[in-house]
């Protein structure tokens, strides 16, 4: 069965072009043209990925992304016409997994989508459940619990935590984390890693400024203290 993608953009020609290209690759494509419609469809449908423009009528892409994160961990790729790095980082702050800057080459979009889906689809499924103190990581269901309470992590946040937890006390540089989790062809920079680590700590740590689980080795990188 082909993957199902929701494309959200108020420029109908862009949606039409992306739809045509993805359908040529056997994907099922749904579309929305404003923030409210996008949110409604995201709640009602089961999507493998959402391409979400930042500048939308009714609700911005950031607002839509943030609200989707209240009920779904579906991978979200932000589409932005702005080249400012702060907009890209802001997109990640709201729970996006990746971003693509307009104008873009449709081949780049397809390559990014396939890379993310490949990592999601081929991720090793194990029955392993890892416990460290109050933290419980279920690798099969991709769920994380702290003291029995489920934490709502995004796909990338889970990927980062899973890598660190399964390799306790091993220090990963920001460059290595970017390469392993996002892929060697990912065009973003290491600040993407910092944003995800900070957001991850805010969710799983009682006191993010004094972390219990995800630690920083200054000048080197990040590690999970086992």
């Amino acid at each position: 069965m082909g993957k199902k993608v929701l494309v959200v953009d108020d420029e109908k020609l862009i949606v039409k072009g992306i739809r045509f290209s993805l359908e040529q690759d056997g994907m099922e494509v749904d579309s929305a043209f404003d923030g409210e419609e996008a949110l409604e469809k995201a709640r009602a449908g089961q999507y493998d990925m959402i391409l979400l423009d930042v500048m939308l009528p009714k609700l911005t892409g950031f607002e839509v992304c943030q609200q989707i994160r209240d009920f779904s961990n579906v991978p979200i790729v932000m589409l932005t016409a702005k080249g400012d790095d702060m907009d890209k980082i802001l997109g990640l702050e709201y729970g996006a997994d990746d971003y693509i800057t307009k104008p873009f080459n449709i081949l780049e979009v397809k390559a990014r989508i396939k890379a993310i889906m490949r990592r999601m689809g081929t991720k090793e499924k194990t029955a392993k459940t890892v416990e460290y103190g109050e933290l419980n990581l279920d690798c099969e269901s991709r769920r994380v619990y702290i003291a029995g309470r489920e934490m709502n992590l995004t796909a990338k946040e889970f990927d980062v935590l899973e890598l660190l937890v399964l390799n306790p006390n091993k220090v990963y540089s920001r460059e290595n984390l970017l390469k392993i989790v996002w892929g060697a062809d990912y065009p973003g920079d290491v600040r993407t890693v910092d944003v995800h680590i900070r957001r991850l700590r805010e969710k799983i740590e009682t006191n993010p400024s004094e972390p219990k689980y995800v630690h920083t080795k200054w000048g080197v990188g990040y590690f999970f203290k086992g």
Side-chain angles (χ1 to χ4, degrees), residues 151-206:
M151 302 292 104
N152 187 23
L153 304 189
T154 68
K156 282 291 187 292
E157 289 166 1
F158 184 91
D159 290 343
V160 170
L161 181 61
E162 181 183 43
L163 176 65
L164 296 178
V165 168
L166 295 181
N167 297 276
N169 303 312
K170 179 176 179 179
V171 181
Y172 287 87
S173 69
R174 297 149 81 207
E175 290 79 8
N176 280 344
L177 283 171
L178 195 68
K179 182 177 180 180
I180 295 170
V181 176
W182 280 265
D185 57 347
Y186 179 69
D189 59 43
V190 293
R191 286 178 294 176
T192 299
V193 174
D194 296 333
V195 169
H196 280 75
I197 290 290
R198 184 172 71 252
R199 201 169 64 206
L200 180 59
R201 282 173 171 162
E202 289 172 352
K203 292 182 179 181
I204 70 171
E205 303 283 3
T206 302

Side-chain angles (χ1 to χ4, degrees), residues 8-9 18 51-54 77-81 100 102 104:
V8 186
D9 198 307
I18 294 176
L51 296 182
L52 180 62
D53 189 34
V54 170
V77 177
M78 305 296 292
L79 304 176
T80 173
I100 298 175
K102 295 179 179 179
F104 50 73

Side-chain angles (χ1 to χ4, degrees), residues 30-197:
D30 203 355
S31 59
F33 302 101
D34 64 60
E36 290 182 356
E37 183 184 13
L39 196 56
E40 181 180 333
K41 289 194 172 182
R43 289 184 185 278
Q46 294 292 323
Y47 297 103
D48 296 290
M49 178 172 294
I50 297 176
L51 296 182
L52 180 62
D53 189 34
V54 170
M55 303 301 291
L56 292 171
K58 299 184 180 180
L59 293 173
T60 69
F62 294 135
E63 291 171 319
V64 174
C65 183
Q66 188 177 37
Q67 292 189 48
I68 288 175
R69 282 293 170 253
D70 289 336
F71 60 85
S72 174
N73 292 329
V74 60
I76 297 175
V77 177
M78 305 296 292
L79 304 176
T80 173
K82 298 181 180 179
D84 188 89
D85 285 343
M86 288 309 296
D87 274 343
K88 298 171 185 175
I89 296 301
L90 183 60
L92 296 175
E93 289 280 11
Y94 278 93
D97 294 280
D98 203 350
Y99 62 85
I100 298 175
T101 303
K102 295 179 179 179
F104 50 73
N105 185 313
I106 189 61
L107 295 179
E108 176 195 358
V109 176
K110 290 169 66 173
R112 198 79 66 85
I113 290 173
K114 288 180 179 179
I116 293 174
M117 287 185 172
R118 185 167 58 247
R119 288 195 294 273
M120 294 292 293
T122 61
K123 183 172 288 292
E124 183 180 1
K125 295 291 186 180
T126 70
K128 181 181 288 185
T129 298
V130 184
E131 294 186 22
Y132 283 97
E134 294 185 331
L135 184 147
N136 182 296
L137 184 80
D138 188 327
C139 299
E140 183 173 11
S141 67
R142 292 175 61 83
R143 292 181 173 178
V144 177
Y145 302 86
I146 301 291
R149 178 169 170 247
E150 184 173 0
M151 302 292 104
N152 187 23
L153 304 189
T154 68
K156 282 291 187 292
E157 289 166 1
F158 184 91
D159 290 343
V160 170
L161 181 61
E162 181 183 43
L163 176 65
L164 296 178
V165 168
L166 295 181
N167 297 276
N169 303 312
K170 179 176 179 179
V171 181
Y172 287 87
S173 69
R174 297 149 81 207
E175 290 79 8
N176 280 344
L177 283 171
L178 195 68
K179 182 177 180 180
I180 295 170
V181 176
W182 280 265
D185 57 347
Y186 179 69
D189 59 43
V190 293
R191 286 178 294 176
T192 299
V193 174
D194 296 333
V195 169
H196 280 75
I197 290 290

Side-chain angles (χ1 to χ4, degrees), residues 20-34:
F20 176 80
S21 186
L22 297 185
E23 286 179 344
Q24 291 293 102
D25 285 357
M27 298 184 194
E28 182 181 349
V29 181
D30 203 355
S31 59
F33 302 101
D34 64 60

